[in-house]
Amino acid sequence: MSSAMDARGERDESGLGLNDPALRAALDGAVHLAAVACGADGCIRSWNLGAEHLLGHRAETMIGAHLGDLMRTDGQRVWARRVLDPRQPLLAHRAILSRRDGSPISCLVMGDRIAGADGLLQTSLLILPLQPPAAGAAERSAERLPGREDAVSVLAGGIAHDFNNLLLGIMGNADLLLMELPSDHASRDHIEQITQAGLRAADLCRQLMAFSGAAVTLKDDLDVNALIGNLLPLARMSLGPVPLSLHLSDPLPRIEGDAAQLRQVLINLVTNAAEAISERPDGRIEIRTSARAGALPGGGEAVVIEVVDNGVGMTPEQIDRAFDPFYTTKFLGRGLGLAAAQGIARAHLGGIHLCSSPGAGTTVTVALPCGRRSAEDGPTPTSTQPPLATRSAGAPSRILVVDDEAHVRLVADGMLRQAHYEVVLAEHGGEALAILADDPGAIDLVVLDMTMPGLTGGEVLERIRELRADLPVLLSSGYGPELSAHLVADDPRCAFLPKPYRRQDLLAALDELLPEDAP
C-alpha cells in the first residue's frame, strides 16, 4: 500500500484515510463496520458498535484489554505487537480472531496511526470479515493474503448496507409526508424529488452489493441458453440496428445461480458492446456459450459465456482499469459497470475476463461453475407449518417491528399506523423475544431485521419458532436476500423485504403473509 501524508503531516501508510475526523466519527457509530483503536501499550481505547456486532464482545469488557487477546495464534500475537510499533509499516493482514463465544472468524485487518483525543499516537484498525473460500479451493487460498481489492469489496458491501438503512429513513419519511399533504401543496414536488433521488441512490447501493460479491439472492437451477434466449428480444430492442447473433452450444450443463443478477450482467455487457461499436456501419455483436474444463481455477467443468464485438477496442491502460469501480471511457458514463459484473461472477464462484486491443474489438468472457443438480432432480422440498392462528375477530392486526436502527423503527411505525395496524417496537432480538414470550398470541406478524448486535435475525427467528410455529415473519436487511434465502426457502411463513423499502412495498409484503381474513 502506498504511503501518504495527511493534512497534519501524519503518515497514512494504509491509504485508508482514517485520520479524517469525519470518517473516524462515522466509523464510531457504524454498526456493520468494526473499528478498534489501541494505544502504544496495546490496550484497546475504543471499540465501536460494529466491533460488538462482529466479534460479540461488548465495549465495556474490551476497553483496557490487550489487542493480542483477540488473536488465536502466537504468530498473530507477535504480529499484533509489531502493529503497535510506530517504526513498522502498517500492512493488511489476515487474522483469525476470537469471538465472545470462542468461535473463530477470519478477518482482514487494516489500519492507520492517528493522534488520539489526548494527542498521543494510537493505532486505529478497521476489521473486515472475509467470506470463506469457495468449495474445493481451501488449499489454494488459505495462505493467500487478501489484496486491497478484496478489502474494498467487503468495505463496499458494509457501506451499502448502512446506506440502505439511511435511505429507508429518508424515503420512508418522504412517503409519510406525501400522504399528509394535499395534492395541490407546493412542497409535493420537492418531496417527490427527494424520493426520486433516494431511488437512484438505492440503485447505486444495489450496484455496490454486486461489486462486493453479495449480489446472489437465489440459487436456482438455470439453463444459460434459455436465459439468453428469453433476454434476446429486450437486448435487440436496446441495440437498434446493430446485429446480434447467437452461437450457443447445445446441450449445455446447467448452473446454480441468480437469474436476475445474471440477466443484469448480460444486458450490461451487450450494452457496453453496442456503445463500443458506436456508428460503425459493419458493427456486430455475438453471444457465445460453451462448456469448458479448466476455465476456472481448480479445474472442473464450467459454463462459459462470451460477448464479442468488433468495436473500437481498448488500450492496455484502459484494460488495466476496466474493472475499477466507476471507471468509464464514456464522457457521460457512471455507475459500477464491469466492477458490478465482476462482483456477480465472483458471488457465483466464477470469474470474468476481458480481452481487447485498439481497433480490434473486445471479448468479455464470463465463466460459471456447473451446478450440482440437474433438472431431473426436481424442486427442493419445503417444510410444512400448521395453519395460521389469528387473534380475536375484528381487532386490527398487531405488528412487532424489530430493528436496532431507531429511524427504521420510527418510519415503519408511521407507515403501519397510517395503514391502521397496531404496532409494537423492539430495539433488539432479546426485547422482541420477551414481548412474544409474555403473550405469544398477541402478535400477528413480526418484521425482523437480519443484522443486529447481539442475537442475529436468524437466531431470533429460531427462537420465535419455538414460541409460535405459525407466526408470519417478514425478514428485512440492507444486505439483500442472500443472508436469509435459506430461511425463506425452508419456512412458508417467512418472506423477505429488502431495504430501503417504500410504504407500498411493506404493505404488499404484509398482505402476502397475513391471512386473507386478517383485519
Side-chain angles (χ1 to χ4, degrees):
M1 296 183 181
S2 60
S3 295
M5 301 295 287
D6 75 355
R8 295 176 300 185
E10 296 174 350
R11 185 168 296 277
D12 178 359
E13 294 170 318
S14 70
L16 295 176
L18 296 184
N19 276 307
D20 186 333
L23 178 58
R24 285 158 60 185
L27 288 174
D28 285 342
V31 178
H32 304 288
L33 293 175
V36 178
C38 304
D41 57 358
C43 292
I44 295 172
R45 294 185 174 186
S46 68
W47 184 270
N48 78 338
L49 292 173
E52 290 189 4
H53 175 70
L54 178 65
L55 299 172
H57 303 282
R58 296 288 185 182
E60 54 267 27
T61 64
M62 294 307 299
I63 301 299
H66 196 278
L67 176 65
D69 294 342
L70 292 173
M71 306 296 168
R72 292 182 65 87
T73 68
D74 291 338
Q76 288 173 355
R77 294 185 189 101
V78 171
W79 170 83
R81 289 195 294 271
R82 189 160 57 246
V83 162
L84 301 169
D85 185 347
R87 298 167 297 180
Q88 299 289 336
L90 278 171
L91 300 175
H93 180 79
R94 183 170 184 163
I96 308 297
L97 305 182
S98 292
R99 290 176 51 83
R100 184 179 63 178
D101 61 6
S103 62
I105 181 170
S106 178
C107 299
L108 182 70
V109 183
M110 304 177 293
D112 278 349
R113 295 197 174 95
I114 63 177
D118 55 6
L120 299 177
L121 191 68
Q122 66 182 30
T123 300
S124 185
L125 300 174
L126 196 62
I127 304 173
L128 308 176
L130 293 173
Q131 293 179 341
E139 296 80 3
R140 298 192 309 274
S141 60
E143 297 301 323
R144 181 178 69 87
L145 181 65
R148 185 182 183 90
E149 182 181 89
D150 301 299
V152 172
S153 295
V154 177
L155 184 60
I159 290 173
H161 172 276
D162 282 358
F163 198 44
N164 275 330
N165 273 314
L166 293 173
L167 285 173
L168 176 54
I170 295 170
M171 296 166 62
N173 280 300
D175 280 346
L176 292 173
L177 277 173
L178 287 173
M179 291 193 63
E180 294 175 359
L181 295 177
S183 59
D184 58 349
H185 196 283
S187 295
R188 289 190 67 90
D189 286 345
H190 299 298
I191 298 171
E192 286 172 352
Q193 289 179 33
I194 292 172
T195 299
Q196 291 304 313
L199 290 172
R200 291 195 294 272
D203 182 65
L204 177 59
C205 283
R206 284 190 289 271
Q207 293 186 61
L208 281 170
M209 288 294 184
F211 168 64
S212 72
V216 176
T217 59
L218 299 173
K219 285 289 188 179
D220 292 328
D221 183 56
L222 299 178
D223 179 341
V224 169
N225 286 345
L227 186 72
I228 295 171
N230 293 334
L231 197 62
L232 197 59
L234 176 61
R236 283 185 168 143
M237 285 177 60
S238 64
L239 293 177
V242 178
L244 173 62
S245 60
L246 303 183
H247 301 276
L248 308 180
S249 177
D250 189 20
L252 194 68
R254 302 176 78 87
I255 68 168
E256 287 185 350
D258 185 320
Q261 294 292 344
L262 293 176
R263 278 194 293 268
Q264 177 187 331
V265 170
L266 288 167
I267 285 292
N268 287 350
L269 296 183
V270 170
T271 302
N272 286 347
E275 291 172 345
I277 290 171
S278 187
E279 302 299 324
R280 185 169 178 169
D282 62 341
R284 65 184 185 276
I285 301 172
E286 298 178 12
I287 300 178
R288 306 169 182 167
T289 63
S290 60
R292 297 182 197 171
L296 291 170
E301 194 173 28
V303 169
V304 174
I305 308 167
E306 295 174 290
V307 178
V308 184
D309 69 71
N310 64 340
V312 296
M314 302 174 70
T315 66
E317 292 77 15
Q318 289 171 335
I319 293 173
D320 286 343
R321 298 194 60 194
F323 293 98
D324 288 354
F326 300 100
Y327 175 73
T328 179
T329 59
K330 299 183 286 292
F331 178 68
L332 292 177
R334 65 185 68 182
L336 285 159
L338 283 173
Q342 185 181 57
I344 292 171
R346 287 178 173 175
H348 284 79
L349 306 182
I352 187 169
H353 175 71
L354 185 150
C355 181
S356 183
S357 59
T362 300
T363 298
V364 181
T365 303
V366 179
L368 303 168
C370 295
R372 297 184 181 88
R373 62 187 180 94
S374 64
E376 288 76 17
D377 292 335
T380 302
T382 58
S383 61
T384 58
Q385 295 287 353
L388 181 68
T390 59
R391 295 191 302 123
S392 58
S397 295
R398 182 175 295 165
I399 312 299
L400 172 61
V401 177
V402 191
D403 202 295
D404 60 303
E405 298 279 359
H407 66 273
V408 173
R409 295 194 302 274
L410 292 175
V411 165
D413 181 65
M415 291 176 173
L416 293 170
R417 289 188 186 279
Q418 282 195 344
H420 308 294
Y421 288 103
E422 291 185 5
V423 185
V424 181
L425 302 178
E427 184 177 355
H428 51 78
E431 183 179 0
L433 292 171
I435 292 170
L436 286 170
D438 184 60
D439 188 357
I443 300 296
D444 296 298
L445 185 144
V446 179
V447 180
L448 177 61
D449 185 31
M450 284 299 295
T451 49
M452 298 179 290
L455 293 174
T456 66
E459 292 169 334
V460 174
L461 176 62
E462 183 178 353
R463 300 190 189 185
I464 287 175
R465 287 291 169 253
E466 295 173 0
L467 294 169
R468 270 191 62 185
D470 67 330
L471 182 61
V473 178
L474 181 61
L475 305 174
S476 188
S477 174
Y479 273 122
E482 66 281 347
L483 294 179
S484 56
H486 65 291
L487 300 174
V488 174
D490 294 338
D491 190 340
R493 296 298 187 204
C494 274
F496 181 82
L497 180 65
K499 297 176 181 177
Y501 49 76
R502 308 286 302 277
R503 178 179 180 273
Q504 60 265 32
D505 301 326
L506 176 60
L507 298 183
L510 298 189
D511 286 343
E512 289 292 325
L513 280 174
L514 288 168
E516 292 184 2
D517 58 348

